[in-house]
Amino acid sequence: MAPQNIVVIGGSYAGLGTAHYLLKHTIPALEKENDTRYRLTLISATTHFYHKVGAPRFLASPDLIPLSKAFLPIADGFKDYDSDHFELVIGEAQTLDETKKTIVVKDTYGFTPSRTFSYSTLVLATGSSSESPLWSIPGSHEKTIAALKETQSALPEAKTVLIAGGGPAGVETAGEIATLFPNADITLLSGADRLLTRLRPVISAAAESQESALGVKIIHNLKVDSVTSSNGASTKVELSDGTSRTVDIYIPATGIRPNTAFLPKSWLTDRGYVITGDTTSLRGPIDNVYAIGDVAGYSLGGALDIVDAVRPLCSTILTDLSGGKVGKAIPFKQTVTETQIVPIGPSGGVGSVFGWRVPSFFVWGFKSRDYMIGMVPGVVSGAKFVKA
C-alpha cells in the first residue's frame, strides 16, 4: 500500500519546525497505532534557511555577524531521516488542485521539469514576502545574500540613507546603520503617527528618543509611493505628500504580503491569508489542510505565533489522522498581550513582554547582543522539538 503523503510547504521557521515535529513524533505515533505508512514531503523554495530576524544587523556590516551563520542548508538538518519517510523538494508551488489534492512545483533553479505531488494532508507554512530581498528569500537565497552584500558595500560611502517603515525592521535597521555610520544623514519614515504601533505610545516615544539620540531623523505620516529611478549610485523616491527625494541608499522595510498566489481563492481571507477558522486547532479552510505562521489568518506576525503553534498544530494532525485514537489535541493559546522586542543598535532598545515593559539591558540580553544567531543551527536541525 502506498504511503499517505503529508506535504509541508515552506522552508522557514514554521515549515521546518512543523516538519521536524511530524517526523520525530507524529508519524511514528501514527505508524505504531495502525498499518498505514506515512511519508513527509517538505517543499521549500530555497535550499537554505535564512535567519531573517537578524537582517538589520546583517545588512549594516559584514564584520558583526558572518552571513555564513545566517544561511544554513536545509538538507543538512534533515539528513538523519530515512528516504522512506522524508523527501526534500526545492521548488516553488505553482498551482494546487483541491479536488485532485495535487500541487505542481516548479524547480527554483530551473534544472528539472515541474513535478506534481499528491497529498493526503497539507500544511501551509509558506510565510510572507517583502518588497526587498533583504527581508525574505525570493526563491534563490543567493539573491538575498547579494542584496545584503550590496548594502554592506554601499553604506560606508553613503551620505544619505532613507528607510521606509516604522515597524521593527525599519526601526532596528535605522539603529544599526546610525550606530556604525554616525556621519550619514539617515531618515526614517514611520508611515504612521508614531513608531512601533503595536507597542503602547510611551514605548514608541522611547524608541523615537533613542533613534534621535543616534542622529536618525524621523518623519511621521509620510510614505513612499514609488521608486522612479535607480542608477546604481542613487535612488529617487516619490513620497505621499507629492515631493520626491534622491538618496544614496533606499531601504524599504514595508510591504509584507502572504505567499498564497498558488492557492484557491476560497481558501483565503480578504487580505490573502489562509483561513484558519478554528484558531485553537489551526485547521485550515477544508479538511486535512492546516496553516501555521505568517501565512495563516490567525497570525499576528510575531515569532510566538510560530513557536507556540508547532506542538498544537501537530497534535491536531495526530488526532485527526488517527480518528481520535492517538494522543490528545493541545489547544493553541495565542499570546495577545503586548509582546515585542526591538533592538536599537547593539547596546539595547525597547520592548514589552506579556504586557510588561522591559528595560534596555533586557533587550540587549535577549536580542540586541547577537540577534539570536546561536539559535539558527537548532532551527534547521529541529533541536527544539526533540521532545514531544
Side-chain angles (χ1 to χ4, degrees):
M1 180 183 295
Q4 296 291 305
N5 199 25
I6 301 174
V7 173
V8 177
I9 308 180
S12 193
Y13 303 94
L16 298 189
T18 301
H20 276 298
Y21 196 99
L22 291 171
L23 287 162
K24 292 178 186 296
H25 307 294
T26 307
I27 289 176
L30 287 168
E31 293 187 339
K32 183 179 180 180
E33 172 64 21
N34 54 52
D35 294 331
T36 304
R37 292 171 50 237
Y38 293 87
R39 192 165 191 262
L40 188 144
T41 301
L42 175 61
I43 299 173
S44 171
T46 175
T47 57
H48 285 60
F49 168 78
Y50 173 38
H51 183 55
K52 63 182 181 179
V53 169
R57 185 156 297 167
F58 303 153
L59 67 84
S61 171
D63 301 322
L64 299 177
I65 302 176
L67 292 183
S68 60
K69 292 186 177 182
F71 295 84
L72 292 185
I74 293 172
D76 288 355
F78 290 82
K79 64 181 185 297
D80 293 334
Y81 300 114
D82 65 78
S83 58
D84 289 338
H85 284 105
F86 176 73
E87 180 182 9
L88 173 63
V89 176
I90 304 302
E92 298 181 40
Q94 298 292 296
T95 57
L96 183 146
D97 188 319
E98 62 179 306
T99 302
K100 297 180 179 179
K101 291 188 174 182
T102 58
I103 306 160
V104 176
V105 178
K106 179 183 178 182
D107 182 354
T108 299
Y109 297 90
F111 296 145
T112 60
S114 296
R115 298 171 62 187
T116 300
F117 295 87
S118 298
Y119 65 87
S120 54
T121 300
L122 177 64
V123 179
L124 298 167
T126 49
S128 56
S129 296
S130 55
E131 179 182 342
S132 168
L134 293 169
W135 314 110
S136 59
I137 297 180
S140 168
H141 72 287
E142 286 95 342
K143 295 179 181 178
T144 296
I145 291 177
L148 290 168
K149 288 184 174 180
E150 181 181 3
T151 306
Q152 291 172 350
S153 298
L155 278 170
E157 303 299 325
K159 292 181 173 59
T160 54
V161 179
L162 179 65
I163 302 164
V171 170
E172 292 176 18
T173 299
E176 293 293 322
I177 295 175
T179 300
L180 289 173
F181 307 99
N183 295 324
D185 183 347
I186 303 167
T187 302
L188 174 61
L189 307 181
S190 73
D193 59 2
R194 61 187 177 94
L195 301 176
L196 304 173
T197 56
R198 289 191 177 179
L199 295 173
R200 73 195 82 162
V202 66
I203 301 179
S204 297
E208 183 161 348
S209 177
Q210 290 186 30
E211 293 282 2
S212 297
L214 291 172
V216 177
K217 300 173 183 176
I218 300 171
I219 302 176
H220 296 300
N221 298 309
L222 188 63
K223 298 181 179 181
V224 172
D225 280 346
S226 62
V227 179
T228 58
S229 65
S230 179
N231 59 16
S234 62
T235 301
K236 184 178 180 182
V237 295
E238 303 291 339
L239 303 175
S240 57
D241 64 355
T243 64
S244 64
R245 288 191 179 202
T246 299
V247 295
D248 295 326
I249 296 178
Y250 166 59
I251 299 176
T254 59
I256 297 298
R257 61 187 183 279
N259 296 323
T260 55
F262 67 99
L263 295 175
K265 299 297 183 185
S266 60
W267 288 18
L268 307 179
T269 67
D270 292 342
R271 297 176 59 226
Y273 294 85
V274 179
I275 295 169
T276 46
D278 182 357
T279 302
T280 60
S281 71
L282 308 182
R283 292 185 179 94
I286 64 173
D287 290 346
N288 297 320
V289 174
Y290 308 83
I292 182 172
D294 291 353
V295 76
Y298 78 86
S299 178
L300 300 175
L304 291 180
D305 279 345
I306 298 174
V307 175
D308 292 347
V310 171
R311 284 184 174 87
L313 168 64
C314 293
S315 73
T316 297
I317 293 173
L318 177 61
T319 56
D320 286 353
L321 295 186
S322 69
K325 296 178 181 179
V326 183
K328 182 179 179 180
I330 304 169
F332 170 58
K333 297 179 181 179
Q334 189 170 36
T335 299
V336 295
T337 52
E338 180 189 56
T339 299
Q340 196 170 70
I341 302 294
V342 184
I344 300 175
S347 300
V350 301
S352 176
V353 177
F354 305 129
W356 293 89
R357 183 179 177 182
V358 295
S360 185
F361 72 82
F362 180 94
V363 178
W364 174 82
F366 185 82
K367 186 176 179 181
S368 176
R369 175 173 46 177
D370 61 2
Y371 272 88
M372 301 181 289
I373 197 67
M375 69 175 282
V376 176
V379 173
V380 177
S381 69
K384 184 177 178 63
F385 302 111
V386 170
K387 295 183 179 180

